[in-house]
PDB file of all heavy atoms in Angstrom:
ATOM      1  N   MET A  49       0.855  -1.197   0.000  1.00 45.00           N
ATOM      2  CA  MET A  49       0.000   0.000   0.000  1.00 45.00           C
ATOM      3  C   MET A  49       0.892   1.249   0.000  1.00 45.00           C
ATOM      4  O   MET A  49       1.858   1.334   0.746  1.00 45.00           O
ATOM      5  CB  MET A  49      -0.870  -0.013   1.259  1.00 45.00           C
ATOM      6  CG  MET A  49      -1.765   1.185   1.397  1.00 45.00           C
ATOM      7  SD  MET A  49      -2.866   0.951   2.796  1.00 45.00           S
ATOM      8  CE  MET A  49      -2.596   2.432   3.641  1.00 45.00           C
ATOM      9  N   THR A  50       0.543   2.224  -0.828  1.00 47.00           N
ATOM     10  CA  THR A  50       1.326   3.442  -0.937  1.00 47.00           C
ATOM     11  C   THR A  50       0.656   4.560  -0.145  1.00 47.00           C
ATOM     12  O   THR A  50      -0.533   4.817  -0.328  1.00 47.00           O
ATOM     13  CB  THR A  50       1.451   3.861  -2.411  1.00 47.00           C
ATOM     14  OG1 THR A  50       1.967   2.767  -3.158  1.00 47.00           O
ATOM     15  CG2 THR A  50       2.373   5.052  -2.547  1.00 47.00           C
ATOM     16  N   LEU A  51       1.427   5.201   0.730  1.00 45.00           N
ATOM     17  CA  LEU A  51       0.875   6.307   1.527  1.00 45.00           C
ATOM     18  C   LEU A  51       1.321   7.627   0.930  1.00 45.00           C
ATOM     19  O   LEU A  51       2.510   7.836   0.693  1.00 45.00           O
ATOM     20  CB  LEU A  51       1.361   6.227   2.974  1.00 45.00           C
ATOM     21  CG  LEU A  51       0.821   5.056   3.799  1.00 45.00           C
ATOM     22  CD1 LEU A  51       1.464   5.069   5.168  1.00 45.00           C
ATOM     23  CD2 LEU A  51      -0.683   5.126   3.912  1.00 45.00           C
ATOM     24  N   SER A  52       0.380   8.490   0.701  1.00 46.00           N
ATOM     25  CA  SER A  52       0.725   9.817   0.183  1.00 46.00           C
ATOM     26  C   SER A  52       1.106  10.722   1.341  1.00 46.00           C
ATOM     27  O   SER A  52       0.815  10.443   2.505  1.00 46.00           O
ATOM     28  CB  SER A  52      -0.468  10.422  -0.568  1.00 46.00           C
ATOM     29  OG  SER A  52      -1.490  10.742   0.335  1.00 46.00           O
ATOM     30  N   ARG A  53       1.740  11.832   1.022  1.00 42.00           N
ATOM     31  CA  ARG A  53       2.100  12.838   2.034  1.00 42.00           C
ATOM     32  C   ARG A  53       0.861  13.332   2.767  1.00 42.00           C
ATOM     33  O   ARG A  53       0.878  13.567   3.964  1.00 42.00           O
ATOM     34  CB  ARG A  53       2.818  13.996   1.332  1.00 42.00           C
ATOM     35  CG  ARG A  53       3.230  15.140   2.237  1.00 42.00           C
ATOM     36  CD  ARG A  53       3.825  16.239   1.385  1.00 42.00           C
ATOM     37  NE  ARG A  53       3.696  17.483   2.095  1.00 42.00           N
ATOM     38  CZ  ARG A  53       4.686  18.083   2.713  1.00 42.00           C
ATOM     39  NH1 ARG A  53       5.870  17.569   2.701  1.00 42.00           N
ATOM     40  NH2 ARG A  53       4.497  19.214   3.340  1.00 42.00           N
ATOM     41  N   ARG A  54      -0.262  13.488   2.032  1.00 42.00           N
ATOM     42  CA  ARG A  54      -1.506  13.962   2.640  1.00 42.00           C
ATOM     43  C   ARG A  54      -2.001  12.977   3.694  1.00 42.00           C
ATOM     44  O   ARG A  54      -2.464  13.368   4.763  1.00 42.00           O
ATOM     45  CB  ARG A  54      -2.566  14.167   1.562  1.00 42.00           C
ATOM     46  CG  ARG A  54      -3.820  14.849   2.081  1.00 42.00           C
ATOM     47  CD  ARG A  54      -4.828  15.040   1.000  1.00 42.00           C
ATOM     48  NE  ARG A  54      -5.181  13.738   0.447  1.00 42.00           N
ATOM     49  CZ  ARG A  54      -6.098  13.578  -0.519  1.00 42.00           C
ATOM     50  NH1 ARG A  54      -6.681  14.624  -1.047  1.00 42.00           N
ATOM     51  NH2 ARG A  54      -6.389  12.383  -0.957  1.00 42.00           N
ATOM     52  N   HIS A  55      -1.912  11.656   3.434  1.00 43.00           N
ATOM     53  CA  HIS A  55      -2.346  10.659   4.410  1.00 43.00           C
ATOM     54  C   HIS A  55      -1.484  10.692   5.669  1.00 43.00           C
ATOM     55  O   HIS A  55      -1.972  10.556   6.783  1.00 43.00           O
ATOM     56  CB  HIS A  55      -2.303   9.254   3.794  1.00 43.00           C
ATOM     57  CG  HIS A  55      -3.417   8.994   2.830  1.00 43.00           C
ATOM     58  ND1 HIS A  55      -3.189   8.751   1.501  1.00 43.00           N
ATOM     59  CD2 HIS A  55      -4.760   8.951   2.993  1.00 43.00           C
ATOM     60  CE1 HIS A  55      -4.352   8.561   0.879  1.00 43.00           C
ATOM     61  NE2 HIS A  55      -5.317   8.683   1.767  1.00 43.00           N
ATOM     62  N   ILE A  56      -0.171  10.875   5.459  1.00 40.00           N
ATOM     63  CA  ILE A  56       0.736  10.908   6.611  1.00 40.00           C
ATOM     64  C   ILE A  56       0.448  12.113   7.496  1.00 40.00           C
ATOM     65  O   ILE A  56       0.313  12.011   8.714  1.00 40.00           O
ATOM     66  CB  ILE A  56       2.206  10.923   6.137  1.00 40.00           C
ATOM     67  CG1 ILE A  56       2.534   9.579   5.472  1.00 40.00           C
ATOM     68  CG2 ILE A  56       3.150  11.195   7.295  1.00 40.00           C
ATOM     69  CD1 ILE A  56       3.864   9.555   4.755  1.00 40.00           C
ATOM     70  N   ILE A  57       0.292  13.297   6.885  1.00 41.00           N
ATOM     71  CA  ILE A  57      -0.003  14.518   7.658  1.00 41.00           C
ATOM     72  C   ILE A  57      -1.348  14.396   8.359  1.00 41.00           C
ATOM     73  O   ILE A  57      -1.500  14.738   9.524  1.00 41.00           O
ATOM     74  CB  ILE A  57       0.040  15.764   6.754  1.00 41.00           C
ATOM     75  CG1 ILE A  57       1.478  16.000   6.282  1.00 41.00           C
ATOM     76  CG2 ILE A  57      -0.485  16.991   7.488  1.00 41.00           C
ATOM     77  CD1 ILE A  57       1.624  17.077   5.249  1.00 41.00           C
ATOM     78  N   GLY A  58      -2.330  13.868   7.635  1.00 42.00           N
ATOM     79  CA  GLY A  58      -3.659  13.686   8.236  1.00 42.00           C
ATOM     80  C   GLY A  58      -3.603  12.762   9.435  1.00 42.00           C
ATOM     81  O   GLY A  58      -4.236  12.986  10.453  1.00 42.00           O
ATOM     82  N   GLY A  59      -2.794  11.673   9.327  1.00 42.00           N
ATOM     83  CA  GLY A  59      -2.667  10.741  10.438  1.00 42.00           C
ATOM     84  C   GLY A  59      -2.014  11.374  11.645  1.00 42.00           C
ATOM     85  O   GLY A  59      -2.393  11.136  12.782  1.00 42.00           O
ATOM     86  N   VAL A  60      -1.008  12.213  11.393  1.00 38.00           N
ATOM     87  CA  VAL A  60      -0.336  12.910  12.495  1.00 38.00           C
ATOM     88  C   VAL A  60      -1.293  13.853  13.202  1.00 38.00           C
ATOM     89  O   VAL A  60      -1.352  13.922  14.424  1.00 38.00           O
ATOM     90  CB  VAL A  60       0.901  13.683  11.972  1.00 38.00           C
ATOM     91  CG1 VAL A  60       1.447  14.596  13.049  1.00 38.00           C
ATOM     92  CG2 VAL A  60       1.966  12.703  11.498  1.00 38.00           C
ATOM     93  N   LEU A  61      -2.106  14.590  12.434  1.00 39.00           N
ATOM     94  CA  LEU A  61      -3.058  15.528  13.036  1.00 39.00           C
ATOM     95  C   LEU A  61      -4.101  14.804  13.865  1.00 39.00           C
ATOM     96  O   LEU A  61      -4.463  15.238  14.961  1.00 39.00           O
ATOM     97  CB  LEU A  61      -3.743  16.368  11.944  1.00 39.00           C
ATOM     98  CG  LEU A  61      -2.847  17.382  11.235  1.00 39.00           C
ATOM     99  CD1 LEU A  61      -3.608  18.065  10.108  1.00 39.00           C
ATOM    100  CD2 LEU A  61      -2.302  18.405  12.206  1.00 39.00           C
ATOM    101  N   VAL A  62      -4.605  13.679  13.360  1.00 37.00           N
ATOM    102  CA  VAL A  62      -5.594  12.910  14.119  1.00 37.00           C
ATOM    103  C   VAL A  62      -4.958  12.349  15.375  1.00 37.00           C
ATOM    104  O   VAL A  62      -5.532  12.366  16.457  1.00 37.00           O
ATOM    105  CB  VAL A  62      -6.180  11.775  13.238  1.00 37.00           C
ATOM    106  CG1 VAL A  62      -7.001  10.824  14.081  1.00 37.00           C
ATOM    107  CG2 VAL A  62      -7.020  12.357  12.118  1.00 37.00           C
ATOM    108  N   GLY A  63      -3.716  11.869  15.248  1.00 39.00           N
ATOM    109  CA  GLY A  63      -3.028  11.289  16.399  1.00 39.00           C
ATOM    110  C   GLY A  63      -2.742  12.292  17.488  1.00 39.00           C
ATOM    111  O   GLY A  63      -2.763  11.972  18.670  1.00 39.00           O
ATOM    112  N   THR A  64      -2.480  13.541  17.106  1.00 37.00           N
ATOM    113  CA  THR A  64      -2.176  14.571  18.116  1.00 37.00           C
ATOM    114  C   THR A  64      -3.422  15.233  18.670  1.00 37.00           C
ATOM    115  O   THR A  64      -3.367  15.918  19.679  1.00 37.00           O
ATOM    116  CB  THR A  64      -1.267  15.672  17.524  1.00 37.00           C
ATOM    117  OG1 THR A  64      -1.923  16.242  16.397  1.00 37.00           O
ATOM    118  CG2 THR A  64       0.076  15.119  17.131  1.00 37.00           C
ATOM    119  N   ALA A  65      -4.577  15.016  18.036  1.00 37.00           N
ATOM    120  CA  ALA A  65      -5.811  15.655  18.520  1.00 37.00           C
ATOM    121  C   ALA A  65      -6.112  15.249  19.943  1.00 37.00           C
ATOM    122  O   ALA A  65      -6.571  16.038  20.759  1.00 37.00           O
ATOM    123  CB  ALA A  65      -6.982  15.290  17.603  1.00 37.00           C
ATOM    124  N   GLY A  66      -5.839  13.992  20.286  1.00 36.00           N
ATOM    125  CA  GLY A  66      -6.090  13.530  21.645  1.00 36.00           C
ATOM    126  C   GLY A  66      -5.191  14.199  22.659  1.00 36.00           C
ATOM    127  O   GLY A  66      -5.523  14.296  23.830  1.00 36.00           O
ATOM    128  N   LEU A  67      -4.016  14.675  22.219  1.00 35.00           N
ATOM    129  CA  LEU A  67      -3.112  15.359  23.133  1.00 35.00           C
ATOM    130  C   LEU A  67      -3.561  16.780  23.416  1.00 35.00           C
ATOM    131  O   LEU A  67      -3.266  17.344  24.450  1.00 35.00           O
ATOM    132  CB  LEU A  67      -1.694  15.382  22.536  1.00 35.00           C
ATOM    133  CG  LEU A  67      -1.057  14.019  22.269  1.00 35.00           C
ATOM    134  CD1 LEU A  67       0.290  14.210  21.582  1.00 35.00           C
ATOM    135  CD2 LEU A  67      -0.886  13.233  23.556  1.00 35.00           C
ATOM    136  N   VAL A  68      -4.272  17.380  22.503  1.00 33.00           N
ATOM    137  CA  VAL A  68      -4.708  18.771  22.661  1.00 33.00           C
ATOM    138  C   VAL A  68      -5.989  18.866  23.478  1.00 33.00           C
ATOM    139  O   VAL A  68      -6.198  19.795  24.230  1.00 33.00           O
ATOM    140  CB  VAL A  68      -4.902  19.420  21.272  1.00 33.00           C
ATOM    141  CG1 VAL A  68      -5.441  20.828  21.411  1.00 33.00           C
ATOM    142  CG2 VAL A  68      -3.588  19.423  20.516  1.00 33.00           C
ATOM    143  N   ALA A  69      -6.869  17.885  23.381  1.00 32.00           N
ATOM    144  CA  ALA A  69      -8.193  17.944  24.011  1.00 32.00           C
ATOM    145  C   ALA A  69      -8.162  18.204  25.509  1.00 32.00           C
ATOM    146  O   ALA A  69      -8.912  19.033  26.002  1.00 32.00           O
ATOM    147  CB  ALA A  69      -8.968  16.657  23.708  1.00 32.00           C
ATOM    148  N   PRO A  70      -7.287  17.530  26.317  1.00 31.00           N
ATOM    149  CA  PRO A  70      -7.310  17.775  27.756  1.00 31.00           C
ATOM    150  C   PRO A  70      -7.059  19.227  28.121  1.00 31.00           C
ATOM    151  O   PRO A  70      -7.606  19.734  29.080  1.00 31.00           O
ATOM    152  CB  PRO A  70      -6.180  16.865  28.275  1.00 31.00           C
ATOM    153  CG  PRO A  70      -6.069  15.793  27.249  1.00 31.00           C
ATOM    154  CD  PRO A  70      -6.377  16.474  25.942  1.00 31.00           C
ATOM    155  N   ARG A  71      -6.221  19.940  27.343  1.00 27.00           N
ATOM    156  CA  ARG A  71      -5.958  21.343  27.634  1.00 27.00           C
ATOM    157  C   ARG A  71      -7.246  22.156  27.524  1.00 27.00           C
ATOM    158  O   ARG A  71      -7.498  23.063  28.302  1.00 27.00           O
ATOM    159  CB  ARG A  71      -4.905  21.880  26.677  1.00 27.00           C
ATOM    160  CG  ARG A  71      -4.534  23.322  26.962  1.00 27.00           C
ATOM    161  CD  ARG A  71      -3.459  23.802  26.036  1.00 27.00           C
ATOM    162  NE  ARG A  71      -2.201  23.123  26.340  1.00 27.00           N
ATOM    163  CZ  ARG A  71      -1.086  23.353  25.676  1.00 27.00           C
ATOM    164  NH1 ARG A  71      -1.061  24.190  24.674  1.00 27.00           N
ATOM    165  NH2 ARG A  71       0.023  22.721  26.010  1.00 27.00           N
ATOM    166  N   ALA A  72      -8.082  21.842  26.550  1.00 30.00           N
ATOM    167  CA  ALA A  72      -9.353  22.544  26.382  1.00 30.00           C
ATOM    168  C   ALA A  72     -10.246  22.327  27.596  1.00 30.00           C
ATOM    169  O   ALA A  72     -10.905  23.236  28.070  1.00 30.00           O
ATOM    170  CB  ALA A  72     -10.053  22.075  25.111  1.00 30.00           C
ATOM    171  N   PHE A  73     -10.250  21.114  28.148  1.00 27.00           N
ATOM    172  CA  PHE A  73     -11.072  20.852  29.324  1.00 27.00           C
ATOM    173  C   PHE A  73     -10.549  21.610  30.535  1.00 27.00           C
ATOM    174  O   PHE A  73     -11.312  22.116  31.332  1.00 27.00           O
ATOM    175  CB  PHE A  73     -11.110  19.350  29.617  1.00 27.00           C
ATOM    176  CG  PHE A  73     -12.005  18.576  28.686  1.00 27.00           C
ATOM    177  CD1 PHE A  73     -11.478  17.682  27.779  1.00 27.00           C
ATOM    178  CD2 PHE A  73     -13.373  18.779  28.700  1.00 27.00           C
ATOM    179  CE1 PHE A  73     -12.296  16.982  26.906  1.00 27.00           C
ATOM    180  CE2 PHE A  73     -14.194  18.082  27.830  1.00 27.00           C
ATOM    181  CZ  PHE A  73     -13.665  17.180  26.936  1.00 27.00           C
ATOM    182  N   ALA A  74      -9.218  21.713  30.660  1.00 28.00           N
ATOM    183  CA  ALA A  74      -8.631  22.419  31.801  1.00 28.00           C
ATOM    184  C   ALA A  74      -9.006  23.892  31.783  1.00 28.00           C
ATOM    185  O   ALA A  74      -9.153  24.516  32.823  1.00 28.00           O
ATOM    186  CB  ALA A  74      -7.114  22.262  31.784  1.00 28.00           C
ATOM    187  N   ALA A  75      -9.191  24.464  30.610  1.00 31.00           N
ATOM    188  CA  ALA A  75      -9.500  25.891  30.495  1.00 31.00           C
ATOM    189  C   ALA A  75     -10.918  26.231  30.930  1.00 31.00           C
ATOM    190  O   ALA A  75     -11.265  27.370  31.080  1.00 31.00           O
ATOM    191  CB  ALA A  75      -9.285  26.345  29.051  1.00 31.00           C
ATOM    192  N   VAL A  76     -11.746  25.212  31.147  1.00 34.00           N
ATOM    193  CA  VAL A  76     -13.155  25.447  31.484  1.00 34.00           C
ATOM    194  C   VAL A  76     -13.347  25.684  32.975  1.00 34.00           C
ATOM    195  O   VAL A  76     -14.439  25.867  33.446  1.00 34.00           O
ATOM    196  CB  VAL A  76     -14.016  24.247  31.001  1.00 34.00           C
ATOM    197  CG1 VAL A  76     -15.494  24.433  31.290  1.00 34.00           C
ATOM    198  CG2 VAL A  76     -13.823  24.028  29.518  1.00 34.00           C
ATOM    199  N   ARG A  77     -12.244  25.743  33.726  1.00 45.00           N
ATOM    200  CA  ARG A  77     -12.322  25.887  35.172  1.00 45.00           C
ATOM    201  C   ARG A  77     -13.117  27.120  35.599  1.00 45.00           C
ATOM    202  O   ARG A  77     -13.747  27.123  36.638  1.00 45.00           O
ATOM    203  CB  ARG A  77     -10.909  25.931  35.755  1.00 45.00           C
ATOM    204  CG  ARG A  77     -10.886  26.032  37.256  1.00 45.00           C
ATOM    205  CD  ARG A  77      -9.533  25.602  37.804  1.00 45.00           C
ATOM    206  NE  ARG A  77      -9.475  25.747  39.249  1.00 45.00           N
ATOM    207  CZ  ARG A  77     -10.072  24.932  40.094  1.00 45.00           C
ATOM    208  NH1 ARG A  77     -10.763  23.906  39.666  1.00 45.00           N
ATOM    209  NH2 ARG A  77      -9.971  25.128  41.391  1.00 45.00           N
ATOM    210  N   SER A  78     -13.090  28.180  34.800  1.00 52.00           N
ATOM    211  CA  SER A  78     -13.774  29.419  35.175  1.00 52.00           C
ATOM    212  C   SER A  78     -15.288  29.251  35.274  1.00 52.00           C
ATOM    213  O   SER A  78     -15.963  30.108  35.806  1.00 52.00           O
ATOM    214  CB  SER A  78     -13.448  30.533  34.179  1.00 52.00           C
ATOM    215  OG  SER A  78     -13.946  30.204  32.910  1.00 52.00           O
ATOM    216  N   THR A  79     -15.814  28.141  34.753  1.00 56.00           N
ATOM    217  CA  THR A  79     -17.258  27.922  34.848  1.00 56.00           C
ATOM    218  C   THR A  79     -17.629  27.256  36.173  1.00 56.00           C
ATOM    219  O   THR A  79     -18.797  27.115  36.480  1.00 56.00           O
ATOM    220  CB  THR A  79     -17.759  27.046  33.683  1.00 56.00           C
ATOM    221  OG1 THR A  79     -17.120  25.762  33.758  1.00 56.00           O
ATOM    222  CG2 THR A  79     -17.480  27.692  32.344  1.00 56.00           C
ATOM    223  N   ASP A  80     -16.633  26.802  36.951  1.00 79.00           N
ATOM    224  CA  ASP A  80     -16.914  26.212  38.251  1.00 79.00           C
ATOM    225  C   ASP A  80     -17.550  27.269  39.157  1.00 79.00           C
ATOM    226  O   ASP A  80     -17.199  28.442  39.105  1.00 79.00           O
ATOM    227  CB  ASP A  80     -15.629  25.709  38.914  1.00 79.00           C
ATOM    228  CG  ASP A  80     -15.003  24.542  38.166  1.00 79.00           C
ATOM    229  OD1 ASP A  80     -15.688  23.973  37.301  1.00 79.00           O
ATOM    230  OD2 ASP A  80     -13.844  24.217  38.451  1.00 79.00           O
ATOM    231  N   VAL A  81     -18.470  26.829  40.007  1.00 84.00           N
ATOM    232  CA  VAL A  81     -19.095  27.753  40.947  1.00 84.00           C
ATOM    233  C   VAL A  81     -18.142  27.944  42.125  1.00 84.00           C
ATOM    234  O   VAL A  81     -17.734  26.974  42.763  1.00 84.00           O
ATOM    235  CB  VAL A  81     -20.449  27.198  41.435  1.00 84.00           C
ATOM    236  CG1 VAL A  81     -21.041  28.095  42.513  1.00 84.00           C
ATOM    237  CG2 VAL A  81     -21.413  27.043  40.270  1.00 84.00           C
ATOM    238  N   PRO A  82     -17.738  29.171  42.425  1.00 93.00           N
ATOM    239  CA  PRO A  82     -16.824  29.413  43.551  1.00 93.00           C
ATOM    240  C   PRO A  82     -17.426  28.943  44.870  1.00 93.00           C
ATOM    241  O   PRO A  82     -18.637  29.078  45.098  1.00 93.00           O
ATOM    242  CB  PRO A  82     -16.653  30.934  43.540  1.00 93.00           C
ATOM    243  CG  PRO A  82     -17.037  31.359  42.171  1.00 93.00           C
ATOM    244  CD  PRO A  82     -18.095  30.403  41.722  1.00 93.00           C
ATOM    245  N   ASP A  83     -16.586  28.414  45.735  1.00 93.00           N
ATOM    246  CA  ASP A  83     -17.053  27.879  47.014  1.00 93.00           C
ATOM    247  C   ASP A  83     -17.799  28.908  47.860  1.00 93.00           C
ATOM    248  O   ASP A  83     -18.753  28.577  48.565  1.00 93.00           O
ATOM    249  CB  ASP A  83     -15.858  27.334  47.820  1.00 93.00           C
ATOM    250  CG  ASP A  83     -15.239  26.106  47.171  1.00 93.00           C
ATOM    251  OD1 ASP A  83     -15.918  25.447  46.358  1.00 93.00           O
ATOM    252  OD2 ASP A  83     -14.062  25.810  47.468  1.00 93.00           O
ATOM    253  N   LEU A  84     -17.347  30.162  47.808  1.00 97.00           N
ATOM    254  CA  LEU A  84     -17.945  31.197  48.660  1.00 97.00           C
ATOM    255  C   LEU A  84     -19.185  31.858  48.066  1.00 97.00           C
ATOM    256  O   LEU A  84     -19.814  32.690  48.720  1.00 97.00           O
ATOM    257  CB  LEU A  84     -16.906  32.283  48.962  1.00 97.00           C
ATOM    258  CG  LEU A  84     -15.725  31.887  49.842  1.00 97.00           C
ATOM    259  CD1 LEU A  84     -14.784  33.068  50.028  1.00 97.00           C
ATOM    260  CD2 LEU A  84     -16.192  31.364  51.197  1.00 97.00           C
ATOM    261  N   LEU A  85     -19.553  31.485  46.848  1.00 97.00           N
ATOM    262  CA  LEU A  85     -20.661  32.186  46.188  1.00 97.00           C
ATOM    263  C   LEU A  85     -21.985  32.071  46.939  1.00 97.00           C
ATOM    264  O   LEU A  85     -22.694  33.082  47.075  1.00 97.00           O
ATOM    265  CB  LEU A  85     -20.817  31.708  44.742  1.00 97.00           C
ATOM    266  CG  LEU A  85     -21.810  32.492  43.895  1.00 97.00           C
ATOM    267  CD1 LEU A  85     -21.467  33.979  43.859  1.00 97.00           C
ATOM    268  CD2 LEU A  85     -21.860  31.933  42.461  1.00 97.00           C
ATOM    269  N   PRO A  86     -22.383  30.898  47.448  1.00 97.00           N
ATOM    270  CA  PRO A  86     -23.645  30.847  48.207  1.00 97.00           C
ATOM    271  C   PRO A  86     -23.659  31.780  49.412  1.00 97.00           C
ATOM    272  O   PRO A  86     -24.665  32.458  49.676  1.00 97.00           O
ATOM    273  CB  PRO A  86     -23.748  29.376  48.630  1.00 97.00           C
ATOM    274  CG  PRO A  86     -22.950  28.633  47.608  1.00 97.00           C
ATOM    275  CD  PRO A  86     -21.797  29.551  47.275  1.00 97.00           C
ATOM    276  N   GLN A  87     -22.538  31.845  50.150  1.00 98.00           N
ATOM    277  CA  GLN A  87     -22.460  32.757  51.296  1.00 98.00           C
ATOM    278  C   GLN A  87     -22.526  34.212  50.842  1.00 98.00           C
ATOM    279  O   GLN A  87     -23.156  35.049  51.498  1.00 98.00           O
ATOM    280  CB  GLN A  87     -21.157  32.528  52.066  1.00 98.00           C
ATOM    281  CG  GLN A  87     -21.131  31.253  52.891  1.00 98.00           C
ATOM    282  CD  GLN A  87     -19.770  31.050  53.516  1.00 98.00           C
ATOM    283  OE1 GLN A  87     -18.918  30.357  52.962  1.00 98.00           O
ATOM    284  NE2 GLN A  87     -19.545  31.664  54.664  1.00 98.00           N
TER     285      GLN A  87
END
Side-chain angles (χ1 to χ4, degrees):
M49 178 173 129
T50 306
L51 291 176
S52 69
R53 179 184 156 104
R54 188 180 59 178
H55 285 116
I56 293 170
I57 293 172
V60 170
L61 290 175
V62 169
T64 58
L67 299 176
V68 176
R71 183 178 291 180
F73 284 112
V76 181
R77 182 161 178 75
S78 64
T79 62
D80 294 347
V81 175
D83 293 339
L84 292 179
L85 188 56
Q87 286 175 266

